[in-house]
Amino acid sequence: MDWPTRCLEVCSREPLVVKNPKTWHHVHTYGGWGRFFEGLQNEKILATKCVNRQCGEKRLFLPPRTDCVDCWQRTEWVETPKTGSIYTWSVVKYPGELFKLGPGTPLISVELEGVCTKLMSWLKDGEPRIGMRVRAVFNTKKPTNTILDLAWIPA
């Protein structure tokens, strides 16, 4: 599919609109990435992969890419496993003003089977350690439509 056709496909979808409760109204769209955040609302972790058979790129990308990084052709959405392992981690002791999680929150890099990148997230419960198996948990009651709607707990 050529770029103009792909653009029409993405632009013809209803955008995921997030209304931020502020004194002013701001409309925000994630564009082609909207499906990732919609997936979180449905307790799914969605990655993308290239569908071009001539392209050598067969990895899953997370965060997703709307187009292949090698051939620039469209990608398709694929559900990933909801369990993985901690690749690395750190703890924020003195967060800045805009940091949405509390002091002492373990930030983790999660390795998921079949995904070529590591997913940055946070550990909701437990003490992190490298190699620890973790399971995804989702904020579906009052979603923020941000990556903070995805957290991990020990598996």
Side-chain angles (χ1 to χ4, degrees):
M1 182 181 300
D2 63 353
W3 173 248
T5 306
R6 175 75 175 131
C7 184
L8 287 174
E9 176 189 326
V10 171
C11 295
S12 66
R13 293 188 67 229
E14 284 294 316
L16 172 65
V17 175
V18 179
K19 292 184 179 178
N20 292 319
K22 301 192 183 334
T23 57
W24 44 271
H25 181 74
H26 173 76
V27 175
H28 175 79
T29 180
Y30 289 111
W33 291 359
R35 286 188 186 175
F36 173 77
F37 294 99
E38 290 168 354
L40 295 182
Q41 292 174 9
N42 295 306
E43 298 188 1
K44 295 179 181 180
I45 304 171
L46 299 177
T48 55
K49 72 174 184 176
C50 181
V51 296
N52 179 2
R53 292 190 179 168
Q54 282 90 35
C55 181
E57 188 58 70
K58 301 300 176 210
R59 302 176 294 176
L60 296 180
F61 288 100
L62 187 61
R65 276 54 166 188
T66 55
D67 299 301
C68 177
V69 298
D70 286 339
C71 69
W72 293 19
Q73 296 297 309
R74 70 179 179 87
T75 57
E76 74 176 1
W77 294 89
V78 178
E79 188 172 353
T80 68
K82 294 178 190 168
T83 59
S85 59
I86 294 178
Y87 183 77
T88 190
W89 61 275
S90 65
V91 173
V92 176
K93 293 191 178 202
Y94 304 104
E97 181 179 347
L98 299 178
F99 192 73
K100 302 289 185 197
L101 301 169
T105 299
L107 300 180
I108 60 174
S109 180
V110 179
E111 188 170 33
L112 297 170
E113 186 177 334
V115 177
C116 69
T117 50
K118 309 299 185 270
L119 179 64
M120 294 303 299
S121 193
W122 61 289
L123 189 64
K124 190 172 185 175
D125 292 317
E127 294 292 323
R129 65 180 189 282
I130 293 175
M132 183 171 95
R133 297 293 296 165
V134 289
R135 178 175 56 88
V137 291
F138 302 86
N139 171 22
T140 58
K141 298 220 185 311
K142 290 186 179 181
T144 63
N145 297 303
T146 69
I147 195 62
L148 296 179
D149 289 339
L150 173 63
W152 301 82
I153 59 174

